[in-house]
């Protein structure tokens, strides 16, 4: 994995952990993600036309099919993640979600895309995945006082990770194959499709207008909306560019260095316990990322 790809992935990890922290703090209602999609699409799709007038016409029918398949997976991912943050702690949901995602993604990349990491690449990936388990393990005292909350966090985190694997595999295929798609021409139209797909489900919700107004007018929610609207696309576009120059089997687990940031944010800002086990996970994660980064 080249230094450029690793830099893109690590920057994305920092941005990703940050916007997830703000999403957790917001504790927002269902229209939150819909507003994120609408605002992002309104700003970025016209900008894409200006930057590359031929961007959409270059997309093949297969490319449009991938966009249509990816968009609903991202929509469901956003909702499942949001529910998880309502049900449990950031330091449980985030590591579990970010852990199961690359585990499934790497297996798919090896079995389906034919990615073949070297020996040290496998060691780095194994270290990252093992560290994910350590980071997701609750403290002994937590087991006694918050057992149900922890189990809920692991369940929703695992479910979120499954959708992460789904869109990671789909999106990597989109930008690596002959689909006429670039990271920008794939991601920004996909955002618009997400807004369209999600709209009927939002409007079936009786209080969607009032909840949308609350998100747009409450300072705390406005701040979270701004951070997620900028941070979510930025982090993922950086990852998409990394996928164009490095195998998915390396990119997917390397993204999870963001869990180190997540653990720190959970401990310092949300006052969640940093156990020895989780700190060991941070060290293992760092070593694994270094090994993956030295690859190629």
């Amino acid at each position: 994995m080249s230094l450029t790809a690793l830099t893109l992935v690590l920057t994305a990890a920092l941005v990703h952990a940050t916007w997830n922290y703000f999403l957790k703090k917001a504790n927002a209602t269902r229209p939150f993600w819909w507003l994120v999609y609408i605002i992002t699409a309104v700003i970025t799709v016209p900008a894409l036309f200006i930057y590359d007038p031929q961007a959409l016409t270059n997309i093949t029918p297969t490319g449009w099919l991938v966009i249509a398949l990816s968009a609903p997976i991202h929509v469901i991912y956003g909702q499942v993640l949001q529910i998880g943050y309502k049900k449990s702690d950031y330091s449980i949901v985030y590591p579990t979600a970010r852990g199961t995602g690359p585990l499934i993604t790497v297996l798919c990349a090896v079995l389906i895309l034919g990615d073949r990491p070297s020996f040290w690449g496998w060691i780095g990936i194994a270290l990252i995945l093992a560290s994910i388990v350590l980071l997701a393990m609750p403290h002994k005292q937590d087991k006694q006082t918050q057992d149900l909350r922890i189990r809920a966090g692991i369940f929703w985190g695992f479910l979120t990770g499954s959708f992460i694997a789904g869109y990671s595999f789909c999106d990597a295929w989109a930008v690596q194959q002959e689909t006429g798609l670039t990271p920008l021409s794939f991601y920004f139209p996909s955002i618009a499709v997400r807004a369209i797909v999600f709209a009927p489900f939002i409007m079936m919700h009786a209080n969607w207008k009032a909840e949308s107004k609350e998100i747009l007018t409450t300072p705390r929610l406005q701040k979270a909306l701004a951070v997620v609207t900028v941070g979510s696309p930025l982090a993922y576009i950086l990852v998409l560019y990394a996928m164009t120059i490095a195998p998915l089997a390396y990119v997917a687990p390397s993204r999870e260095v963001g869990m180190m940031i997540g653990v720190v944010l959970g401990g310092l800002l949300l006052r969640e316990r940093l156990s020895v086990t989780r700190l060991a996970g941070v060290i293992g994660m760092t070593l694994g990322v270094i090994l993956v980064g030295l690859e190629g």
Side-chain angles (χ1 to χ4, degrees):
M1 188 173 180
S2 69
L3 179 61
T4 300
L6 183 61
T7 301
L8 289 171
V9 171
L10 295 183
T11 303
L14 172 61
V15 176
H16 191 277
T18 302
W19 74 251
N20 269 264
Y21 165 75
F22 277 90
L23 179 64
K24 166 64 178 176
K25 289 283 288 184
N27 195 32
T29 51
R30 184 181 298 177
F32 184 90
W33 273 108
W34 188 50
L35 292 172
V36 169
Y37 298 149
I38 292 174
I39 294 170
T40 306
V42 167
I43 295 172
T44 59
V45 173
L48 179 63
F49 274 108
I50 296 172
Y51 174 75
D52 182 4
Q54 305 300 317
L56 298 186
T57 57
N58 289 335
I59 301 174
T60 67
T62 302
W64 284 112
L65 177 61
V66 177
I67 289 174
L69 291 174
S70 172
I73 299 175
H74 277 277
V75 168
I76 299 172
Y77 152 78
Q79 292 306 291
V80 171
L81 177 64
Q82 196 170 343
I83 293 171
Y85 284 151
K86 287 179 178 291
K87 298 285 187 180
S88 189
D89 296 338
Y90 175 77
S91 62
I92 296 173
V93 176
Y94 190 73
T96 306
R98 302 313 307 176
T100 54
L103 177 61
I104 299 170
T105 302
V106 168
L107 291 176
C108 290
V110 171
L111 296 175
I112 300 175
L113 294 183
D115 291 349
R116 290 293 181 266
S118 70
F119 173 77
W120 289 111
W122 277 116
I123 294 297
I125 290 169
L127 269 174
I128 293 171
L129 297 178
S131 299
I132 286 164
V133 176
L134 294 176
L135 288 171
M137 290 176 64
H139 191 273
K140 291 181 179 179
Q141 184 177 345
D142 292 336
K143 291 180 181 179
Q144 299 172 358
T145 59
Q146 299 182 14
D147 188 54
L148 291 176
R149 190 169 180 83
I150 290 169
R151 280 187 286 176
I154 292 173
F155 169 78
W156 288 103
F158 182 85
L159 190 60
T160 302
S162 299
F163 286 104
I164 291 172
Y167 74 63
S168 294
F169 183 74
C170 183
D171 298 356
W173 191 90
V175 297
Q176 291 176 355
Q177 305 301 315
E178 297 296 328
T179 58
L181 292 166
T182 66
L184 295 182
S185 67
F186 169 72
Y187 190 80
F188 292 145
S190 176
I191 289 284
V193 175
R194 291 181 214 176
I196 295 169
V197 168
F198 202 13
F201 298 96
I202 291 295
M203 294 178 183
M204 288 189 295
H205 185 51
N207 298 322
W208 73 272
K209 290 183 179 180
E211 291 177 356
S212 298
K213 182 178 179 181
E214 180 186 12
I215 293 169
L216 292 171
T217 57
T218 304
R220 174 180 61 85
L221 296 175
Q222 286 176 335
K223 185 176 182 180
L225 183 65
V227 172
V228 176
T229 300
V230 174
S232 180
L234 175 59
Y236 202 61
I237 288 171
L238 291 174
V239 169
L240 289 175
Y241 273 109
M243 288 177 180
T244 65
I245 57 178
L248 178 60
Y250 290 150
V251 173
S254 298
R255 291 182 66 194
E256 308 321 314
V257 72
M259 292 210 313
M260 292 189 294
I261 304 165
V263 169
V264 172
L265 289 176
L268 296 181
L269 301 182
L270 298 176
R271 297 182 180 180
E272 296 173 354
R273 187 177 289 106
L274 293 180
S275 66
V276 174
T277 302
R278 289 185 181 174
L279 291 176
V282 169
I283 295 171
M285 180 77 69
T286 304
L287 293 175
V289 170
I290 291 172
L291 288 176
V292 170
L294 290 175
E295 187 70 22

